[in-house]
C-alpha cells in the first residue's frame, strides 16, 4: 500500500520545532499557568503587533470571536448582516446566533470571494454590517467594500480565519474594518493544538467590551460582573504553542506561496484547469490552493488513483445548507456560487510539502 499524500501535515510541522514547543508547553504546566495567564497576555501583545493593530483579545475559537464582535457592536434581533454565499458556516452562524439575519451575497466566479458589485442592492434599513471573508487566504476587495460601508454607514467585520499574514498593499488583513476575527484551529496558517481564536481591533471601547464579554462580563476585578458575558477564553497552553509558532508564520506563509508558485508553474499548461487569481497588490497566503475545472470528477479519480488527498471548500453555498433552508433560496439567486461549487478542488498545500510531492500531484492531473 502506497502511503497517502496528505492534505495537510501537522506532524511534519511539529517535528520541525518540537523542542521549542515542548519547552513552552512544559513551562506552562510547571508554572501551573492554565487560563488567562501571562503567556496569554504576551501572545495577545505579539499578535496585535504582528497584525498592526492596537488590541488583541484572545478567546476560545474563531466562531466566538466573530459572534462577540457582533454582540459588542450591538447587532441582534431584527438586524441584517451581509455575508458571502461561500464560506465556512461560522461566517453565517455567528450572525444567526445573535438573532440577526445573514443576507447572502454571490461570489466572483474567478476567485470565490464576495462580489462587491452585488452588495448595494441587498442593503436595507435593517443592514448593520458586512462580513467579508478572505477565503483561502486571498484578501477580499476591501477598498470597494469599505467604500460601500462608508456610504451606507455599516460596520465592516473581517473574517480572517484563513488569512493570517495576508496583505493588501503591505497592510495586513484584519486592519481594514472596525474589528476582525481570527481562528487558530490546528490546520489554519497559524494553528494551536486545539481550539483557539482572537479578535483584533484598534477601537479601545470595542476592545474593552469584547474583553468583558469573553470573561463573564468581568474586566480587571474578579467578581465585578459589569455586563452579561460568557466563558470564551484561550488556554495558556494554546497561547504558549501559538507564541512559538507566530515566530515562524512569515516563513511558513512564504513556503506556502512558493508551493503555490510551483503548482502554478506545473499546471499553467493544463487547459482544463483554472488557477487561483489574486488582485494586484494583494498578498495571498494560500491557506488553501484551490483550482477550478469543469472535469472535477475526472481529476478526483486521478488523485484517488495516485493516493493523493484533496478537499472541496466548500461543497455547498451556505444558503443551500439545510440550516438555511427556511430562507427558500435557489441556485438562480447565486449563479456564480452554484457554478463554482461544482468546479472547485483544493490540492494539498502546507509549508513542509516537498517539490517532488507537488510534481506528483500535477503529473497525476495531466
Ligand atoms: C475556521 C473558520 C472559522 C471558525 O473558526 P473556529 O476557530 O473553527 O471556530 C470562521 N470562518 C472561516 C472562514 C473559517 O475558515
Amino acid at each position: 500500500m502506497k502511503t497517502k499524500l496528505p492534505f495537510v501535515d501537522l506532524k511534519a510541522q511539529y517535528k520541525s520545532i518540537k523542542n521549542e514547543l515542548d519547552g513552552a508547553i512544559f513551562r506552562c504546566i510547571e508554572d501551573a499557568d492554565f487560563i488567562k495567564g501571562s503567556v496569554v497576555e504576551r501572545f495577545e501583545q505579539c499578535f496585535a503587533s504582528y497584525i498592526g493593530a492596537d488590541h488583541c483579545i484572545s478567546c476560545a475559537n474563531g466562531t466566538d470571536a466573530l459572534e462577540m464582535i457582533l454582540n459588542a457592536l450591538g447587532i441582534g434581533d431584527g438586524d441584517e448582516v451581509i455575508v458571502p454565499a461561500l464560506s465556512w458556516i461560522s461566517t453565517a452562524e455567528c450572525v444567526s446566533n445573535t438573532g440577526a439575519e445573514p443576507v447572502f451575497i454571490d461570489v466572483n466566479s474567478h476567485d470565490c470571494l464576495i462580489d462587491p458589485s452585488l452588495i448595494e442592492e441587498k442593503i436595507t434599513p435593517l443592514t448593520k454590517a458586512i462580513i467579508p471573508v478572505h477565503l483561502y487566504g486571498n484578501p477580499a476587495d476591501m477598498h470597494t467594500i469599505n467604500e460601500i460601508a462608508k456610504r451606507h454607514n455599516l460596520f465592516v467585520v473581517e473574517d480572517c480565519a484563513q488569512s493570517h499574514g495576508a496583505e493588501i498593499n503591505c497592510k495586513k488583513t484584519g486592519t481594514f474594518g472596525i474589528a476582525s476575527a481570527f481562528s487558530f484551529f490546528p490546520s489554519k496558517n497559524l494553528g494551536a493544538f486545539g481550539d483557539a481564536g482572537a479578535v483584533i481591533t484598534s477601537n479601545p471601547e470595542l476592545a474593552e467590551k469584547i474583553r468583558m464579554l469573553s470573561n463573564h462580563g468581568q474586566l480587571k476585578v474578579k467578581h465585578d460582573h459589569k455586563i452579561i458575558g460568557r466563558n470564551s477564553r484561550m488556554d495558556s497552553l494554546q497561547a504558549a504553542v501559538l507564541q512559538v509558532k507566530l515566530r515562524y508564520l512569515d516563513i511558513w506563509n512564504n513556503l506556502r506561496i512558493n508551493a503555490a508558485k510551483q503548482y502554478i508553474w506545473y499546471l499553467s499548461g493544463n487547459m482544463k484547469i483554472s488557477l487561483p487569481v489574486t488582485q494586484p497588490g494583494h498578498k495571498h497566503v494560500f491557506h488553501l490552493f484551490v483550482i477550478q475545472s469543469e472535469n472535477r470528477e475526472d481529476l478526483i479519480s486521478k488523485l484517488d488513483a495516485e493516493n493523493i488527498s484533496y478537499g472541496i471548500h466548500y461543497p455547498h453555498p451556505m444558503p443551500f445548507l439545510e440550516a438555511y433552508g427556511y430562507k427558500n433560496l435557489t441556485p438562480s439567486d447565486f449563479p456564480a456560487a452554484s457554478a463554482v461549487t461544482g468546479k472547485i478542488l483544493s490540492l494539498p498545500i502546507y509549508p513542509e510539502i516537498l517539490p517532488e510531492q507537488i510534481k506528483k500531484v500535477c503529473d497525476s492531473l495531466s
Side-chain angles (χ1 to χ4, degrees):
M1 188 59 192
K2 283 185 286 187
T3 53
K4 194 157 180 112
L5 202 163
F7 188 65
V8 290
D9 191 350
L10 296 177
K11 289 180 190 165
Q13 188 180 80
Y14 173 59
K15 267 187 222 147
S16 72
I17 52 168
K18 179 178 181 335
N19 287 342
E20 277 177 273
L21 286 168
D22 290 356
I25 290 168
F26 278 105
R27 233 167 294 129
C28 269
I29 298 172
E30 278 163 2
D31 294 347
D33 179 3
F34 298 117
I35 309 265
K36 277 231 168 274
S38 57
V39 193
V40 177
E41 236 169 79
R42 197 164 348 111
F43 172 69
E44 288 179 339
Q45 285 161 6
C46 291
F47 193 63
S49 97
Y50 174 80
I51 297 298
D54 293 344
H55 306 278
C56 169
I57 304 97
S58 61
C59 62
N61 56 66
T63 311
D64 278 6
L66 282 166
E67 198 179 315
M68 288 192 297
I69 295 170
L70 300 181
N71 290 149
L73 292 173
I75 292 169
D77 283 340
D79 296 332
E80 292 177 359
V81 176
I82 285 175
V83 301
L86 192 66
S87 182
W88 173 244
I89 183 75
S90 300
T91 315
E93 209 174 30
C94 67
V95 176
S96 303
N97 282 331
T98 67
E101 272 303 315
V103 174
F104 297 106
I105 303 287
D106 206 1
V107 296
N108 302 313
S109 43
H110 59 280
D111 61 13
C112 301
L113 298 169
I114 190 167
D115 180 348
S117 72
L118 302 175
I119 293 178
E120 270 183 307
E121 64 198 59
K122 293 285 180 70
I123 294 174
T124 76
L126 303 176
T127 312
K128 291 290 171 344
I130 307 175
I131 310 184
V133 181
H134 307 299
L135 198 69
Y136 310 149
N138 194 11
D141 181 357
M142 294 310 297
H143 179 74
T144 310
I145 293 167
N146 276 342
E147 273 183 359
I148 295 167
K150 202 166 166 196
R151 231 176 357 254
H152 297 271
N153 204 15
L154 307 176
F155 295 118
V156 172
V157 175
E158 295 173 80
D159 183 337
C160 296
Q162 303 188 0
S163 72
H164 318 70
E167 295 175 358
I168 300 175
N169 298 329
C170 302
K171 205 167 166 276
K172 292 223 160 49
T173 57
T175 58
F176 291 92
I178 180 119
S180 57
F182 285 81
S183 164
F184 305 114
F185 182 83
S187 61
K188 306 280 165 137
N189 287 29
L190 179 61
F193 285 173
D195 276 314
V199 173
I200 285 283
T201 181
S202 289
N203 180 306
E205 294 85 39
L206 199 61
E208 180 165 295
K209 187 115 190 252
I210 293 168
R211 203 170 279 290
M212 286 196 280
L213 284 173
S214 69
N215 192 24
H216 301 296
Q218 309 168 106
L219 201 50
K220 294 238 159 55
V221 186
K222 203 171 177 181
H223 304 302
D224 181 16
H225 305 276
K226 294 185 181 300
I227 55 175
I228 297 170
R230 63 163 92 183
N231 177 356
S232 182
R233 299 177 298 218
M234 185 188 283
D235 293 342
S236 305
L237 285 170
Q238 303 305 347
V241 168
L242 291 169
Q243 177 74 16
V244 170
K245 287 191 173 193
L246 180 57
R247 293 201 286 272
Y248 295 91
L249 178 57
D250 283 336
I251 298 172
W252 288 337
N253 278 342
N254 285 331
L255 289 167
R256 287 175 182 273
I257 291 166
N258 263 324
K261 282 184 182 154
Q262 292 171 58
Y263 269 126
I264 289 166
W265 191 80
Y266 281 119
L267 295 175
S268 54
N270 190 325
M271 291 302 140
K272 285 180 292 191
I273 290 175
S274 308
L275 294 165
V277 182
T278 312
Q279 278 191 56
H282 287 205
K283 181 180 176 184
H284 186 330
V285 291
F286 291 99
H287 171 60
L288 295 166
F289 186 85
V290 180
I291 60 171
Q292 293 189 37
S293 173
E294 302 281 352
N295 307 11
R296 181 176 69 192
E297 298 321 304
D298 181 38
L299 298 181
I300 286 176
S301 42
K302 289 172 167 177
L303 293 172
D304 281 337
E306 292 298 323
N307 223 0
I308 295 166
S309 310
Y310 57 86
I312 294 174
H313 300 88
Y314 294 88
H316 310 288
M318 295 192 291
F320 309 147
L321 296 170
E322 201 177 332
Y324 289 107
Y326 70 89
K327 286 178 175 284
N328 291 315
L329 295 162
T330 64
S332 62
D333 298 316
F334 305 95
S338 306
V340 295
T341 44
K343 298 192 229 173
I344 45 180
L345 180 62
S346 311
L347 301 179
I349 194 161
Y350 44 90
E352 302 78 14
I353 193 167
L354 300 168
E356 54 266 34
Q357 293 176 311
I358 295 171
K359 183 170 186 302
K360 182 184 158 148
V361 176
C362 298
D363 285 346
S364 81
L365 294 174
S366 64

XYZ file of all heavy atoms in Angstrom, residues 76 121 125 164 168 270 274 285 311 322 332 363:
86
model
N -28.173 42.418 16.668
C -29.008 41.333 17.193
C -30.361 41.297 16.511
O -30.460 41.627 15.323
N -27.356 46.374 -3.686
C -28.768 46.061 -3.923
C -29.399 45.264 -2.770
O -30.618 45.167 -2.676
C -28.940 45.315 -5.255
C -28.268 43.959 -5.287
C -28.069 43.422 -6.714
O -27.395 44.084 -7.527
O -28.576 42.321 -6.984
N -32.770 49.204 5.263
C -32.625 49.993 6.506
C -32.223 49.126 7.707
O -31.768 49.652 8.716
C -34.023 50.585 6.703
C -34.631 50.607 5.337
C -34.089 49.405 4.632
N -4.205 34.684 8.044
C -3.141 35.186 8.921
C -1.938 35.602 8.081
O -1.315 34.751 7.448
C -2.670 34.117 9.906
C -3.760 33.294 10.519
N -4.492 32.377 9.802
C -4.218 33.239 11.779
C -5.372 31.812 10.597
N -5.235 32.319 11.807
N -2.947 43.577 1.861
C -3.349 44.401 0.716
C -2.446 45.620 0.756
O -2.440 46.358 1.752
C -4.830 44.831 0.810
C -5.732 43.584 0.836
C -5.193 45.769 -0.328
C -7.209 43.877 1.051
N -2.086 23.280 -18.417
C -3.239 22.376 -18.428
C -4.523 23.175 -18.694
O -5.028 23.883 -17.818
C -3.321 21.641 -17.080
C -4.322 20.516 -17.094
O -5.357 20.612 -17.749
N -4.021 19.449 -16.364
N -8.418 25.930 -14.189
C -8.250 27.364 -13.908
C -7.519 27.495 -12.585
O -7.862 26.831 -11.604
C -9.588 28.081 -13.802
O -10.371 27.816 -14.925
N -2.013 34.173 1.031
C -1.143 33.313 1.849
C -1.504 31.824 1.731
O -1.003 31.002 2.506
C -1.100 33.742 3.330
C -0.374 35.077 3.477
C -2.489 33.808 3.941
N -9.477 18.268 -1.100
C -10.659 18.742 -0.378
C -11.548 19.543 -1.312
O -11.153 19.864 -2.436
N -29.020 22.897 4.840
C -30.322 22.641 5.479
C -30.634 23.693 6.548
O -31.777 24.120 6.704
C -30.300 21.235 6.089
C -31.667 20.666 6.310
C -31.603 19.237 6.846
O -30.610 18.526 6.551
O -32.540 18.848 7.561
N -30.651 30.059 -8.733
C -30.738 31.253 -9.579
C -30.463 32.527 -8.770
O -30.141 33.569 -9.332
C -32.103 31.329 -10.259
O -33.106 31.434 -9.276
N 1.532 15.921 -11.995
C 1.644 14.857 -13.011
C 0.368 14.027 -13.038
O -0.117 13.655 -14.110
C 2.844 13.941 -12.687
C 4.176 14.606 -13.014
O 4.153 15.646 -13.729
O 5.228 14.109 -12.565
